[in-house]
Amino acid sequence: MSEENDLSKEESLHDSVPVTGMYKEWFLDYASYVILERAVPAIEDGLKPVQRRILHAMKEMDDGRFNKVANIIGQSMQYHPHGDASIGDAIVNIGQKELLIETQGNWGDVRTGDRAAAARYIEARLSKFALDVVFNPQTTEWQLSYDGRKREPVTLPVKFPLLLAQGVEGIAVGLSTKILPHNFCELIAGSIEILKGNPTNVLPDFITGGLADFSEYNGGQRGGKVKVRAKIEEEDSKTILIKEIPYGTTTDSLIDSILKANDKGKIKIKKVVDNTAKDVEIAIQLASGVSPDVTIDALYAFTDCEVSISPNACVIIEDKPVFLNVNEILAYNTKQTKALLKRELEIRKAELMEKLLFSSLEKIFIENRIYRDIEECTTWEAVLEAIDKGLEPYKPDFYREIVQDDLLKLTEIRIKRISKFDTFKADELMKKLQGELKEVNYNLRHLTDYAIKYYENLLTKYGKGRERKTEIRTFDTIEATVVAANNAKLYVNRTDGFVGSGLKKDEFVCDCSDLDDIIVIRKDGKCMVSKIQDKNFMGKDILHVAVFRKGDERMVYNLIYLDGASGRAMVKRFQVLAVTRDKEYDLTKGTKGSKALYLTANANGEAEIVTVYLTQGAKARVKVFDFDFSTIDIKGRGAGGNILTKYPVRKIQLKMEGVSTLGGLDIYYDPIVGRLNTDERGDLIGNFLGDDKILVVYKTGDYELTSFELTNRYDPANVILIEKFDQDKIISAIYYDGGSKTFYVKRFQIETTTLNKKFNFITDHKQSYLKVVSTEKQPQASVVFMKGKDEEVMEYDLDMLIDVKGWKAIGNKLSSYTIKDIKLIESKKANPEGPSKVKSEVDEDEQIEVGKTIDLSVKKDDEEQLGLF
């Protein structure tokens, strides 16, 4: 009995398959199935199998009327071997893209995240675009459905880059795809350029609108990135409005991210109200004293108001997943469209030639009374032979051989048709067919031109209302530490050496953010930077503690220290631009016994005067003297400094507060991102000190005074003039009044002093706009106007046209003639680099004089250059 058991065990082991082998084969089969049949679209039509089967089912049902989505799901299940839920979700997804399906009922809202109603309540039908572009049974390749009962398309003969227009996202086994939607009109324009042999570069466009930076798009390939931002407007100093949301977010998810950022203290807001109806509008009420500009930046930095999307263009080509960029996909689809158009023309040519052939046969058969020859025939074969014999003289004129089927068709002509045959009408029909055939042949010979006309017709027919929704921008990099709200307080215990936000019983230093770095300078001449914590030991006897701003070239430290080795008092001015966190840096020469005697931190490079008192036992003749820090240069953090005195110092006292030795700050405006900077990007606005202001004039006819804070934001599409404000300058402007349909000219001075508030100086009609504006002393404008049928150009001196009046004055009518165009004539002194670039009022020589010839270059040691964090 045991021998039989052992034998059966051996047989079962012999028949078994290792699990590893099963896993290898089955896993690959499953992965291939998911990639090819579920997750990744085919490049030919841009559709996943479920989408293709839905569209095919809808075409079979199409009678011009709407069908319940529940019925469409049932019809689609004949082709798609999966549940109704996946089919229903796919239909809703297609319908929400508003291209292939016309919808009726509640189909949800991609902006708010609201779901569609149940399938039994909503209806759909194919759009006219889909019927024109997607289907053609004659050019479709067919296959049997999963159960063999029906035919379904392998791919649909789509004559349009549908994949790029709709976008797609799918996750397979070990593979994923994410192709972003692109603009309908731009895709057609791109295809036309490809047909003309020109390069193209298409960019995504999102139904939710918003702003997008495509500088790192990389053609939609792996490794690329798209930054998308909400469109945020400042309604007033206490309210900002979100008008459009980023792709991939909803109003609910966006509001949740804003509330979470507020709870964490990253931003400070009072309330968020969702007013979304036809258009998106999320109103954010700010806390008192909070800057709208800083809050907008903080929303981009800490909430879903800015999201980063990583595309990954993967498609199926010849049953294999292939990674392409979107321009290659567009070129492939354009080539395919051209091939499909050629195929349709060839099919049409064959049809026309067959119609012409039969029309000719019919005419010969009737006019030559060949039907009379078959009256005496007794067999069917004799009938066909008689007809064939009657056509014999004409056979050389036909484009192909006359076969038996042609003869059979002639026998099917009824007596009534023969008796009413009209030769003239027959000739007219044949001429029409010949004309159409000639046109088809012409199009085949000029296929590229035909394809271009096809695309142009698509654009004319379906392009209206499909203009770009997402605005293309270049985004500036927002530093989170700069825009984070002050959600923490910094305390210090100088004696014990503890610094942090949790030492509430110790000395308060300042408000800060939990993202900030803290700099400490101790009495022993050591400097350290560390991330803010609840309680952090940074060394005993702290002289200076503050929030550290990396790369702040305006912050200058004035230090007098005792060198322990020589006993000399050394003096230095230095900056701390870049360090490694939690690493100690020696500000002295590092010798034993060295210590700081005097230290100040100056946010704008101020250089004070101090009084130095030597000890009574010092051998120096002068035991009390003054020292001016402005007499020494600003050097690197590691520099040893200059000798102040070789005698022992008893004390040092401040004698006079210092003034900045750095001169004014050169402020630039970057018209691409609409931001101020000191990095020489864009146009130089001017050199700014203290209370200087910036004047901004907008195309809407508003002017605004702002500070020169780098956190200020300006809409580059709306700014017509930005420069350093001079209250003595006269503003000359020409604007269009929407009410009277007339141009007016006015000159005025800025009389208001309120910052960050817009004042409208043109008429308040919704069609009014500012045409030109200038702050030159003698501005000139060139005006093109119509005098009867003739076009004339006139140059005006604006300062001679009208006197200076109040900013609320309407102004004078510019001309009674119809004005076609107005342009400012740039003066010879105007900066050639652009109208918004204004030369600083302080030239280089004046800056040197104000700065007392101080060398502003900063010498960085090797450690500073390598120790960036």
Side-chain angles (χ1 to χ4, degrees):
M1 190 72 178
S2 61
E3 290 181 1
E4 292 179 0
N5 290 337
D6 292 339
L7 183 61
S8 61
K9 287 181 180 179
E10 288 179 7
E11 289 176 351
S12 62
L13 288 172
H14 179 73
D15 296 335
S16 65
V17 178
V19 174
T20 54
M22 294 168 58
Y23 177 81
K24 180 180 179 181
E25 293 180 8
W26 295 353
F27 178 81
L28 287 177
D29 288 345
Y30 173 68
S32 300
Y33 168 74
V34 174
I35 291 170
L36 299 176
E37 295 295 326
R38 295 185 69 175
V40 184
I43 193 171
E44 289 83 1
D45 55 12
L47 300 170
K48 297 179 184 180
V50 63
Q51 296 171 327
R52 187 179 302 115
R53 288 160 179 162
I54 288 168
L55 294 176
H56 173 60
M58 292 185 71
K59 177 66 170 125
E60 284 192 322
M61 299 172 67
D62 183 57
D63 58 1
R65 296 181 295 177
F66 284 96
N67 289 287
K68 290 285 186 181
V69 169
N71 291 341
I72 298 173
I73 293 172
Q75 185 78 5
S76 302
M77 290 179 73
Q78 297 180 84
Y79 307 101
H80 195 63
H82 297 282
D84 60 334
S86 62
I87 298 174
D89 290 342
I91 293 175
V92 171
N93 182 267
I94 297 172
Q96 288 179 339
K97 291 176 180 177
E98 300 176 354
L99 184 61
L100 299 177
I101 295 178
E102 290 182 19
T103 60
Q104 193 164 268
N106 177 16
W107 280 69
D109 193 335
V110 294
R111 305 169 307 160
T112 61
D114 294 337
R115 291 182 58 83
R120 60 186 179 275
Y121 297 124
I122 56 178
E123 299 178 327
R125 67 181 176 190
L126 290 172
S127 66
K128 292 181 179 178
F129 172 80
L131 292 170
D132 278 358
V133 169
V134 175
F135 304 99
N136 188 338
Q138 294 176 309
T139 57
T140 301
E141 182 182 353
W142 300 92
Q143 65 183 4
L144 290 175
S145 61
Y146 68 94
D147 60 2
R149 289 189 174 92
K150 294 274 188 174
R151 284 195 320 162
E152 65 173 345
V154 176
T155 58
L156 289 169
V158 179
K159 303 185 291 296
F160 178 78
L162 188 61
L163 175 60
L164 298 180
Q166 291 198 124
V168 70
E169 187 170 356
I171 300 175
V173 180
L175 186 72
S176 67
T177 183
K178 190 181 184 81
I179 299 175
L180 302 180
H182 292 67
N183 181 261
F184 181 93
C185 302
E186 291 175 7
L187 287 174
I188 291 179
S191 292
I192 292 172
E193 289 302 311
I194 290 170
L195 289 168
K196 291 179 179 178
N198 300 325
T200 186
N201 183 32
V202 292
L203 297 174
D205 184 28
F206 309 118
I207 194 170
T208 52
L211 315 173
D213 183 346
F214 300 112
S215 56
E216 300 177 65
Y217 183 46
N218 192 32
Q221 291 181 294
R222 286 180 296 181
K225 183 170 65 174
V226 175
K227 295 178 183 176
V228 189
R229 287 181 176 178
K231 184 172 283 188
I232 306 178
E233 299 176 0
E234 180 184 336
E235 186 177 49
D236 52 49
S237 60
K238 295 181 180 180
T239 308
I240 56 179
L241 301 176
I242 298 176
K243 292 287 193 178
E244 295 174 4
I245 62 175
Y247 176 72
T249 66
T250 64
T251 53
D252 288 344
S253 67
L254 193 63
I255 291 172
D256 287 343
S257 71
I258 294 171
L259 295 176
K260 287 178 182 178
N262 184 62
D263 293 341
K264 293 179 180 178
K266 305 298 184 185
I267 58 176
K268 289 185 178 179
I269 61 174
K270 276 186 177 180
K271 188 168 59 172
V272 180
V273 181
D274 188 359
N275 297 324
T276 300
K278 180 183 177 183
D279 299 314
V280 169
E281 182 179 288
I282 300 173
I284 302 174
Q285 296 182 10
L286 306 180
S288 58
V290 175
S291 165
D293 288 334
V294 174
T295 302
I296 291 172
D297 281 345
L299 287 170
Y300 289 142
F302 301 114
T303 74
D304 287 345
C305 286
E306 178 179 318
V307 296
S308 181
I309 303 172
S310 298
N312 182 21
C314 178
V315 293
I316 300 299
I317 301 179
E318 296 180 356
D319 292 334
K320 293 179 182 178
V322 179
F323 293 93
L324 300 174
N325 70 50
V326 295
N327 296 299
E328 291 171 336
I329 294 173
L330 181 61
Y332 188 103
N333 290 149
T334 304
K335 183 179 179 181
Q336 174 187 274
T337 298
K338 185 177 176 181
L340 286 171
L341 291 173
K342 181 181 179 181
R343 178 70 182 133
E344 289 179 356
L345 287 171
E346 289 172 342
I347 291 171
R348 183 57 181 160
K349 178 181 177 180
E351 290 174 348
L352 289 171
M353 293 184 73
E354 286 299 303
K355 286 182 179 180
L356 273 170
L357 175 66
F358 184 73
S359 296
S360 300
L361 289 174
E362 184 183 52
K363 183 179 180 183
I364 294 169
F365 181 75
I366 296 174
E367 287 187 345
N368 291 279
R369 301 177 182 273
I370 296 175
Y371 59 86
R372 290 277 181 92
D373 298 338
I374 65 176
E375 291 177 353
E376 297 179 0
C377 296
T378 57
T379 64
W380 183 248
E381 290 76 10
V383 169
L384 296 179
E385 186 178 346
I387 296 174
D388 188 53
K389 184 177 179 181
L391 295 174
E392 193 68 35
Y394 307 98
K395 286 183 179 180
D397 297 332
F398 300 130
Y399 82 97
R400 65 169 175 82
E401 183 182 351
I402 303 302
V403 296
Q404 187 173 349
D405 286 343
D406 299 322
L407 304 178
L408 291 174
K409 286 184 180 179
L410 292 175
T411 62
E412 294 172 358
I413 299 175
R414 296 184 178 183
I415 297 298
K416 186 176 181 181
R417 179 172 176 79
I418 294 174
S419 63
K420 292 187 176 182
F421 183 76
D422 189 328
T423 302
F424 177 76
K425 286 185 179 181
D427 290 340
E428 287 296 315
L429 175 62
M430 292 175 67
K431 284 181 182 178
K432 183 179 178 182
L433 293 173
Q434 287 170 347
E436 190 175 346
L437 180 61
K438 184 179 179 182
E439 183 181 354
V440 169
N441 285 327
Y442 178 85
N443 290 333
L444 282 169
R445 291 194 303 271
H446 302 85
L447 191 59
T448 299
D449 293 338
Y450 178 72
I452 290 173
K453 289 179 181 178
Y454 169 79
Y455 277 118
E456 289 174 344
N457 182 56
L458 279 185
L459 187 60
T460 302
K461 197 171 181 181
Y462 302 108
K464 188 177 180 181
R466 301 186 186 276
E467 296 79 12
R468 170 167 284 277
K469 292 182 173 64
T470 302
E471 187 177 341
I472 300 173
R473 288 275 191 91
T474 300
F475 295 161
D476 52 326
T477 301
I478 298 173
E479 295 186 23
T481 54
V482 175
V483 299
N486 289 331
N487 58 353
K489 295 184 181 295
L490 180 62
Y491 300 91
V492 61
N493 185 323
R494 296 181 185 272
T495 305
D496 295 336
F498 288 100
V499 176
S501 57
L503 308 173
K504 296 184 179 180
K505 294 182 179 179
D506 292 303
E507 177 187 343
F508 171 73
V509 179
C510 64
D511 292 319
C512 63
S513 164
D514 56 8
L515 300 177
D516 284 332
D517 292 301
I518 306 303
I519 184 170
V520 161
I521 300 177
R522 303 195 303 259
K523 192 171 183 180
D524 60 3
K526 299 291 195 302
C527 170
M528 181 190 292
V529 173
S530 183
K531 192 76 175 175
I532 188 171
Q533 302 174 30
D534 285 344
K535 185 177 181 180
N536 186 21
F537 179 74
M538 300 185 73
K540 294 183 178 182
D541 297 324
I542 294 174
L543 291 179
H544 170 73
V545 57
V547 174
F548 175 71
R549 303 297 182 197
K550 177 185 174 183
D552 186 359
E553 295 182 353
R554 306 288 294 182
M555 175 62 76
V556 178
Y557 299 90
N558 298 336
L559 173 67
I560 299 174
Y561 70 90
L562 173 66
D563 177 34
S566 64
R568 295 170 176 170
M570 309 296 292
V571 60
K572 64 188 285 188
R573 301 184 73 206
F574 64 94
Q575 297 164 314
V576 181
L577 300 177
V579 295
T580 301
R581 284 195 187 103
D582 301 319
K583 178 180 177 180
E584 285 190 347
Y585 294 90
D586 212 320
L587 303 177
T588 69
K589 292 185 177 182
T591 58
K592 186 178 181 180
S594 297
K595 63 178 180 178
L597 302 175
Y598 177 88
L599 173 69
T600 58
N602 306 280
N604 205 29
E606 292 85 359
E608 69 270 27
I609 299 175
V610 296
T611 301
V612 180
Y613 296 88
L614 304 181
T615 60
Q616 291 298 325
K619 295 180 180 180
R621 288 180 298 173
V622 180
K623 292 182 172 58
V624 179
F625 61 90
D626 294 337
F627 176 75
D628 188 349
F629 274 95
S630 66
T631 59
I632 62 173
D633 293 342
I634 302 170
K635 296 186 178 181
R637 182 195 60 229
N642 301 343
I643 299 173
L644 177 64
T645 178
K646 62 182 179 180
Y647 301 107
V649 175
R650 180 167 60 91
K651 68 174 181 178
I652 301 171
Q653 288 184 337
L654 175 66
K655 181 177 181 180
M656 183 180 296
E657 296 284 352
V659 296
S660 175
T661 58
L662 300 180
L665 193 62
D666 283 340
I667 299 294
Y668 292 78
Y669 171 69
D670 187 340
I672 297 176
V673 299
R675 301 300 291 267
L676 304 177
N677 68 88
T678 56
D679 304 324
E680 301 185 6
R681 288 183 288 106
D683 303 328
L684 176 64
I685 296 180
N687 188 273
F688 287 78
L689 288 168
D691 296 329
D692 287 340
K693 302 178 183 67
I694 291 176
L695 170 65
V696 189
V697 183
Y698 300 98
K699 294 177 183 178
T700 53
D702 299 317
Y703 76 80
E704 180 182 22
L705 298 178
T706 74
S707 65
F708 56 92
E709 291 289 336
L710 300 187
T711 52
N712 291 349
R713 303 176 56 85
Y714 308 96
D715 181 5
N718 193 26
V719 172
I720 193 171
L721 174 72
I722 181 168
E723 65 179 37
K724 184 176 180 180
F725 173 58
D726 183 348
Q727 61 182 2
D728 295 326
K729 280 190 175 182
I730 307 298
I731 297 179
S732 303
I734 299 176
Y735 70 93
Y736 178 77
D737 175 37
S740 61
K741 313 294 184 185
T742 307
F743 284 95
Y744 284 84
V745 58
K746 65 183 295 184
R747 303 183 74 230
F748 64 95
Q749 279 183 294
I750 301 294
E751 301 169 6
T752 58
T753 58
T754 307
L755 291 182
N756 302 317
K757 183 178 180 180
K758 293 179 180 178
F759 295 89
N760 187 269
F761 61 89
I762 67 174
T763 54
D764 58 0
H765 193 278
K766 64 180 181 179
Q767 294 181 349
S768 298
Y769 63 89
L770 182 62
K771 182 63 178 177
V772 295
V773 65
S774 174
T775 56
E776 292 184 12
K777 289 184 179 179
Q778 296 178 321
Q780 291 182 308
S782 173
V783 181
V784 181
F785 58 90
M786 300 300 297
K787 222 172 188 180
K789 295 183 179 180
D790 298 326
E791 185 177 291
E792 294 191 13
V793 180
M794 179 75 74
E795 293 184 359
Y796 291 98
D797 293 317
L798 301 187
D799 58 318
M800 302 295 291
L801 279 178
I802 187 172
D803 295 332
V804 177
K805 299 181 180 180
W807 67 273
K808 293 184 179 180
I810 295 176
N812 293 349
K813 192 174 182 180
L814 181 62
S815 174
S816 58
Y817 296 106
T818 301
I819 295 176
K820 291 190 65 179
D821 193 21
I822 304 172
K823 292 182 180 178
L824 280 178
I825 302 174
E826 293 186 18
S827 65
K828 294 180 180 179
K829 294 181 180 181
N831 195 316
E833 296 187 25
S836 64
K837 185 162 185 175
V838 183
K839 185 177 183 291
S840 170
E841 294 183 353
V842 182
D843 60 24
E844 293 180 5
D845 293 335
E846 291 173 332
Q847 289 181 29
I848 292 174
E849 184 180 350
V850 172
K852 299 184 181 179
T853 67
I854 287 179
D855 181 9
L856 299 182
S857 63
V858 179
K859 298 178 181 177
K860 298 181 181 179
D861 55 21
D862 294 340
E863 199 171 36
E864 281 182 315
Q865 295 177 20
L866 299 174
L868 300 175
F869 67 89

